[in-house]
Amino acid sequence: MLIGIDLGTTNSLAACFRNGNAELIPNRLGKKLTPSVISVDDDGKILVGETAREYGYLHPDRTAKVFKRTMGTDREYDLAGMKFSSEELSGFVLRSLKEDAEVYLGEPVEEAIISVPAYFNDKQRKATKRAGELAGLTVSRIINEPTASAIAYGVGEEGAMERCMVFDLGGGTFDVTILEYFKNIMEVYAIAGDNFLGGEDFTQVLVEMYLGRLLVANINMLDLRTLSNIYKAAEDCKCSFSQGNVSHMGVNIFGQYHEEEFTIEEYAEACEPLLEKLRKPIEKALRDAKVTLDDLDRIILVGGATKLSIVREYVQKVTGIYPEWYVDPDTSVAVGAALQCAMKERDKRIEEVILTDVCPFTLGTEVVRDIGAFEEPGHYLPIIERNTVIPVSRRQTVYTAHDNQKYVTVKVLQGESYMAKNNLLLGELTVEVPVGPKGQEAIEITYTYDVNSLLEVEVKVLSTGLQKKAIIQSEENKMSEEEARQRFERLQYLKQNPRDDEENKLVIYRASRMYEETYGADKTKISDMLAQLDEAMANKSRLEIEIVREKLTDLLDSIEQKDFQGLLS
Ligand code: AMP
């Protein structure tokens, strides 16, 4: 079975296409969103999703989140002495989604289409593909998130030509995509974005506002637990702006509860620099697509952070267009990925959309440039230009730069700078050339960028016919088959928390956190119920466990509800 997966910065979810419809796949807790959070618990077991997030409030040092931001980099996360890369952590999330989908669908799930931000570079895309492999999935396609959303919104279904802007502000990334849809052909015209801007930054603003009110000059004075509580409170405070123009934020600091009130106006003012950062990618995408705002038929909002009214209002102010958000911004990418699955399997009920995507960055190589009297090395020669429609294959011929040169090394670079060293080195290919005077040997370089945004490079020495080909993989990520197998085995060896224990664990972690946050009678009630649950678990009576767990959940819900209403009033 093939499923579509939205591997998000904050949350992930899976969807499939069944009986003529895209269907969201609930996780083991019956919820559609699985937080992209991983923890290693006291027994060395891997926790994923909501359970990991709850555990993380109490054990931030054993928990990793927002790791999508470091996909394709060397960053390692140390969780209880075990080191993981972002792709391994993402692999755990994917493994959990795969298992949940298998239980829900009642059949093995071996293949997936995974979405990535349109602005993800080659390294990040490959890391995503490998994360899928670590989870035991064949990633048959990588799809750009905005393209998936546009499919979910049914852009162009009316048959008329439509040009739309997809404004995607997720937890940690921001993308603007301009695409056109006409008679089942979807063409992406331009992509622009910022890989380091998202909802988390809007949470950070509240953290700073709160600490400012408390006159906490040095954030290092606070321990990790307190900081993690402040972030949680800031996140809740941010989300509750959807329900009113005033929001509260309260945290226990050094044994004392500090509550602060914020108005939406104050918050909007503090977010001004962040909102301003949204403008540039909008302008760049329009410029690259060679369209004006008047040419746009629709603006579609995607990503959890577009639920913020200040973001919606800003988009409307800057563009003068009323943006749409009627498809749940949390799920539109997964729905689009599931529709893409149907297209891939050529489900008759879904008209095949011919997708024309673009390469979001320039790909080129380093050359020596002849500047009259002297030669200057280190210049960048673009081969495939940014926003070229893919799949694409482009060829350039270069010549030997020195007399008696024995080898030519083709550096595969990605980026927009005219100086080669400022661009990202994706890999290198070296070929032997017959010695001779400079400029004698011609070398043909072909870059092929496919629909999965994977780059194939071919280098050919024209005089000898010698040819070298490679799917470019960055040096630091280059894995031998043996290494890949070992990594896979290491992750298999680590046990994920068993599914049937998930609900118990979640409620215990949640109760432990709330025990620390509450006072008086509530505290006593929580500890009594926790003791009852402990006893039921020791007795291994399933029915008893379920009854106590439900009672405890109701108790926690009612305490939280009471607190929440208190905060809003
Ligand atoms: P995504 O990566 O698309 O799942 O988006 C996650 C981001 O959306 C996080 O930063 C969340 O805090 C944010 N978010 C989710 N719901 C809301 C809401 N109701 N109001 C404001 N931000 C939200």
Side-chain angles (χ1 to χ4, degrees):
M1 176 89 184
L2 169 68
I3 60 168
I5 295 178
D6 170 7
L7 184 62
T9 313
T10 322
N11 294 300
S12 297
L13 75 153
C16 65
F17 192 83
R18 272 205 309 192
N19 310 321
N21 283 311
E23 196 176 326
L24 296 176
I25 298 176
N27 66 16
R28 60 199 65 188
L29 298 166
K31 301 195 175 157
K32 60 181 186 195
L33 299 180
T34 297
S36 308
V37 182
I38 301 293
S39 293
V40 175
D41 75 2
D42 310 342
D43 308 327
K45 281 211 193 78
I46 306 291
L47 305 175
V48 183
E50 203 173 328
T51 318
R53 190 173 61 186
E54 243 343 310
Y55 184 82
Y57 293 133
L58 296 172
H59 305 277
D61 55 323
R62 289 172 157 261
T63 304
K65 53 185 188 168
V66 205
F67 38 83
K68 182 170 165 181
R69 275 192 171 174
T70 50
M71 246 348 211
T73 70
D74 290 340
R75 163 92 195 258
E76 281 198 321
Y77 294 77
D78 189 334
L79 307 186
M82 283 191 250
K83 288 199 165 46
F84 298 104
S85 64
S86 312
E87 67 191 65
E88 288 173 326
L89 296 169
S90 303
F92 288 132
V93 174
L94 292 169
R95 195 159 99 190
S96 174
L97 294 175
K98 170 180 148 68
E99 277 174 19
D100 290 347
E102 285 176 338
V103 172
Y104 179 73
L105 299 167
E107 59 180 298
V109 171
E110 286 117 4
E111 205 182 336
I113 291 182
I114 303 181
S115 63
V116 295
Y119 219 66
F120 251 24
N121 66 32
D122 202 52
K123 278 188 182 181
Q124 293 163 310
R125 284 166 198 266
K126 288 201 183 102
T128 306
K129 215 162 180 251
R130 280 195 301 268
E133 282 154 18
L134 289 172
L137 285 165
T138 304
V139 182
S140 51
R141 190 167 291 182
I142 294 278
I143 180 173
N144 285 337
E145 287 164 9
T147 313
S149 289
I151 294 175
Y153 265 87
V155 170
E157 264 177 7
E158 303 298 316
M161 199 266 276
E162 275 192 278
R163 205 171 275 149
C164 87
M165 174 191 285
V166 180
F167 179 100
D168 180 359
L169 189 65
T173 51
F174 172 48
D175 284 326
V176 179
T177 309
I178 311 282
L179 44 89
E180 194 177 279
Y181 199 114
F182 184 55
K183 288 196 176 148
N184 82 330
I185 297 184
M186 184 178 283
E187 190 156 340
V188 176
Y189 274 103
I191 301 164
D194 188 336
N195 272 349
F196 291 90
L197 181 60
E200 309 295 330
D201 300 295
F202 285 83
T203 306
Q204 179 69 28
V205 169
L206 274 169
V207 170
E208 281 160 21
M209 284 171 81
Y210 180 78
L211 293 177
R213 290 263 184 98
L214 262 52
L215 302 175
V216 176
N218 188 354
I219 202 165
N220 297 328
M221 280 163 56
L222 302 169
D223 61 289
L224 208 54
R225 274 274 280 284
T226 309
L227 263 180
S228 138
N229 289 340
I230 294 175
Y231 273 93
K232 179 175 186 317
E235 170 76 19
D236 292 347
C237 179
K238 177 182 79 173
C239 292
S240 68
F241 273 126
S242 322
Q243 293 162 48
N245 288 339
V246 178
S247 197
H248 293 74
M249 187 173 156
V251 186
N252 255 324
I253 297 177
F254 304 130
Q256 225 188 334
Y257 190 71
H258 293 274
E259 191 182 310
E260 291 294 329
E261 180 183 282
F262 300 105
T263 65
I264 191 82
E265 289 80 18
E266 283 171 301
Y267 183 48
E269 195 184 325
C271 288
E272 202 58 49
L274 280 183
L275 293 169
E276 267 308 309
K277 276 179 134 181
L278 299 172
R279 182 196 286 269
K280 255 199 177 158
I282 296 179
E283 289 171 350
K284 186 161 178 264
L286 288 168
R287 215 178 316 117
D288 282 357
K290 299 186 181 65
V291 296
T292 65
L293 285 167
D294 289 340
D295 299 320
L296 294 181
D297 297 298
R298 304 163 77 171
I299 296 183
I300 292 169
L301 297 184
V302 184
T306 60
K307 289 186 188 170
L308 268 174
S309 59
I310 56 170
V311 170
R312 291 174 184 175
E313 280 157 18
Y314 185 80
V315 176
Q316 192 173 356
K317 188 179 103 186
V318 167
T319 62
I321 299 171
Y322 190 70
E324 298 171 45
W325 63 82
Y326 60 83
V327 176
D328 182 354
D330 284 334
T331 58
S332 64
V333 172
V335 167
L339 292 171
Q340 182 70 33
C341 293
M343 292 166 200
K344 184 172 177 285
E345 302 209 315
R346 296 188 186 277
D347 193 298
K348 297 269 179 307
R349 281 161 290 209
I350 285 277
E351 187 186 13
E352 165 121 67
V353 176
I354 301 161
L355 270 179
T356 326
D357 234 327
V358 292
C359 164
F361 28 69
T362 302
L363 294 160
T365 190
E366 180 175 330
V367 287
V368 174
R369 193 144 282 176
D370 211 337
I371 314 182
F374 59 95
E375 285 162 352
E376 199 176 66
H379 276 265
Y380 186 48
L381 173 72
I383 297 180
I384 296 178
E385 282 203 278
R386 164 162 61 94
N387 287 323
T388 305
V389 171
I390 54 170
V392 60
S393 196
R394 291 277 154 86
R395 187 170 292 164
Q396 281 274 0
T397 306
V398 296
Y399 298 87
T400 40
H402 312 287
D403 290 338
N404 299 324
Q405 198 173 331
K406 285 189 180 148
Y407 301 96
V408 170
T409 297
V410 175
K411 284 190 179 165
V412 183
L413 299 166
Q414 173 193 307
E416 312 304 325
S417 173
Y418 73 98
M419 281 166 76
K421 69 174 167 51
N422 293 343
N423 295 319
L424 181 69
L425 178 67
L426 300 176
E428 287 182 343
L429 243 87
T430 300
V431 282
E432 217 172 319
V433 287
V435 288
K438 77 171 183 186
Q440 177 176 288
E441 290 301 320
I443 298 101
E444 205 174 69
I445 308 172
T446 311
Y447 282 12
T448 306
Y449 201 71
D450 71 8
V451 283
N452 294 320
S453 306
L454 295 180
L455 175 66
E456 190 184 272
V457 175
E458 197 183 293
V459 178
K460 189 173 173 188
V461 182
L462 290 184
S463 66
T464 61
L466 176 72
Q467 211 170 329
K468 262 197 184 169
K469 211 184 212 177
I471 300 278
I472 289 300
Q473 214 162 34
S474 56
E475 282 305 314
E476 62 265 47
N477 283 329
K478 198 184 275 176
M479 251 196 302
S480 67
E481 261 180 42
E482 176 56 18
E483 224 181 311
R485 194 187 55 75
Q486 280 176 4
R487 258 175 37 150
F488 185 76
E489 276 179 6
R490 178 174 93 98
L491 295 195
Q492 297 307 303
Y493 167 75
L494 291 169
K495 286 277 167 285
Q496 234 156 284
N497 191 51
R499 280 177 60 87
D500 51 7
D501 188 36
E502 193 81 14
E503 283 177 287
N504 297 338
K505 276 239 159 102
L506 176 61
V507 81
I508 290 170
Y509 297 146
R510 187 175 166 214
S512 316
R513 167 178 61 82
M514 288 180 62
Y515 177 84
E516 292 195 8
E517 289 169 2
T518 49
Y519 296 93
D522 285 343
K523 215 175 183 71
T524 316
K525 279 187 211 158
I526 295 176
S527 80
D528 286 352
M529 293 291 305
L530 267 173
Q532 280 183 43
L533 184 61
D534 257 355
E535 197 182 320
M537 285 170 73
N539 291 341
K540 295 200 168 76
S541 149
R542 277 189 86 103
L543 187 65
E544 198 185 334
I545 293 173
E546 248 167 64
I547 292 171
V548 182
R549 194 177 62 214
E550 215 153 281
K551 273 196 198 158
L552 179 54
T553 307
D554 287 348
L555 171 71
L556 300 176
D557 284 350
S558 74
I559 296 175
E560 222 156 46
Q561 192 64 23
K562 195 171 64 189
D563 286 353
F564 188 61
Q565 274 162 358
L567 288 179
L568 284 180
S569 62

